[in-house]
Amino acid sequence: MHEATVWGERARLAAWSALVNIDELGLDDDGRVQVVELARSLTELPDQRKARLLREALSRSTGLTVSTVVSWLDEVPTT
């Protein structure tokens, strides 16, 4: 499988997981809005910059669910 496809699918999976578990992520209202907007965008078209922004937004929270989603986004290339 091509590297872009692999990270793209991981980003898409992380985005869907964030959306499905939004109530469990412990985000404030602003963080919730930002995560929902970024995650919806990533489910349509994987984008490295948006994946990094989603990771950054999720990193402000703690917990097993958010840690798992962030770990998937850690694999998105930074270049």
Side-chain angles (χ1 to χ4, degrees):
M1 190 176 282
H2 190 269
E3 184 178 332
T5 303
V6 171
W7 76 255
E9 287 304 311
R10 286 193 179 126
R12 188 174 279 135
L13 175 63
W16 276 113
S17 186
L19 290 171
V20 168
N21 293 293
I22 194 70
D23 292 331
E24 308 301 320
L25 299 178
L27 299 164
D28 62 19
D29 290 341
D30 292 336
R32 183 183 176 105
V33 168
Q34 182 182 21
V35 166
V36 167
E37 289 174 357
L38 289 166
R40 283 186 179 154
S41 176
L42 281 170
T43 61
E44 295 171 11
L45 180 65
D47 176 89
Q48 288 178 346
R49 185 183 66 78
K50 289 181 181 177
R52 287 190 303 271
L53 290 171
L54 178 60
R55 185 200 178 288
E56 189 177 300
L58 289 169
S59 293
R60 296 182 192 124
S61 188
T62 60
L64 181 58
T65 302
V66 79
S67 296
T68 302
V69 175
V70 166
S71 74
W72 293 333
L73 293 168
D74 282 341
E75 297 183 24
V76 174
T78 56
T79 57

